Amino acid sequence: MLKTRIITAFCLLAALGVGLLLLPYNVFLLFFSAVFLLAAGEWANMSGLSQRWQQGVYAAVMACMMGILFFLGAHHAGILLNIILILSLLGWLFALRVVCRYPTKKISNNVFVLLLLGVWLLIPAWLGVLHLQPLVAHSGMLWLVIAVIAAADIGAYFSGRRFGRRKLAAQVSPNKTWEGFWGGTLANAVFALVLALVMQCNLLQTLGLIAAMVLVSCASVLGDLFESMMKRERGIKDSSHLLPGHGGVLDRLDGWTAAVPVFTALYLVWSAWQ
């Protein structure tokens, strides 16, 4: 399984690299929007829409919303992005409370509510990616958030396998441990320190960078736990079987759904402060 996961992850990273470095922005937009629409179809299934045509209709509605937001963003990009990010972050604070109290507290099992939840889950991350992507050639911001998510995932995987004893959220995801969580957090703290040394940051900038990357790392864990909770409610192991060794597209984007909005919000705050 580890070998399969590594091969699939390498292929996904290669595809993402080609998309980021070689595709024009509008083509990249279509490429990444298609990825999120695949995740939307998987979320529809997790919400109770088991028929393929129902999942397709939900993905089509999501595509229309993306088109409208892209059109509106061309005229009111800053205001629109800020509003959606604020709503996303408030939602993740509520999601943290639900995950911590599960199964005592649960998300509604109403299909309509769950479908609306999918909009909150995917749209802010999609907008965050579209905002960060043009910055790749200048500052590598999208690469940075990808690296943070990957470091949290890899650090947690190997640290958890080697030292894992205490369950992080036994009722949500039995395989995750506090040792794995701290391993992923430490990996990002070290990554931030190395990056700060390379960028020749002063002490205050270094501490701020470490705090920001640790916060994004924690957000990626929350996104992972939230999707695990929803899959447990639905009684499924993976969102689909599209990606060998990884499950579905949503299983790969779960950390992104929380980490990208948090990272984008921090980047906007940093840009305004500069």
Side-chain angles (χ1 to χ4, degrees), residues 79-143:
I79 297 175
L80 183 65
L81 182 63
N82 290 339
I83 292 174
I84 291 178
L85 286 177
I86 290 172
L87 293 175
S88 174
L89 298 182
L90 290 175
W92 281 112
L93 289 176
F94 176 74
L96 175 61
R97 182 169 180 266
V98 174
V99 168
C100 289
R101 297 183 61 185
Y102 182 84
T104 303
K105 188 173 184 62
K106 297 183 179 181
I107 295 291
S108 170
N109 59 2
N110 181 276
V111 173
F112 182 71
V113 172
L114 292 176
L115 293 177
L116 287 178
L117 199 60
V119 175
W120 159 78
L121 193 71
L122 294 172
I123 289 295
W126 173 77
L127 277 177
V129 169
L130 297 191
H131 179 75
L132 295 173
Q133 192 274 343
L135 303 173
V136 168
H138 303 288
S139 57
M141 284 298 161
L142 188 51
W143 280 117

Side-chain angles (χ1 to χ4, degrees), residues 37 40-42 44-45 49-60:
L37 291 177
E42 294 175 354
N45 178 53
L49 301 183
S50 57
Q51 300 296 318
R52 289 293 178 87
W53 70 267
Q54 294 173 323
Q55 298 164 18
V57 169
Y58 180 70

Side-chain angles (χ1 to χ4, degrees), residues 4 20 43 61 98 117 139 154 160-161 177 207 212 219 233 246:
T4 303
L20 283 172
W43 179 264
V61 171
V98 174
L117 199 60
S139 57
I154 295 170
R161 282 175 61 91
T177 63
L207 293 176
E233 281 292 291
H246 290 265

Side-chain angles (χ1 to χ4, degrees), residues 177-247:
T177 63
W178 278 106
E179 290 80 6
F181 170 79
W182 290 118
T185 303
L186 178 61
N188 269 304
V190 172
F191 177 35
L193 181 59
V194 171
L195 189 61
L197 292 174
V198 171
M199 296 171 59
Q200 298 182 334
C201 297
N202 59 37
L203 178 60
L204 183 60
Q205 291 170 330
T206 300
L207 293 176
L209 183 60
I210 293 174
M213 289 179 65
V214 166
L215 181 59
V216 175
S217 176
C218 293
S220 72
V221 175
L222 176 58
D224 192 337
L225 288 174
F226 183 78
E227 197 223 350
S228 296
M229 181 186 71
M230 299 306 299
K231 288 189 294 186
R232 183 165 291 274
E233 281 292 291
R234 186 76 170 97
I236 59 177
K237 183 179 183 296
D238 298 313
S239 59
S240 76
H241 303 289
L242 186 62
L243 305 175
H246 290 265

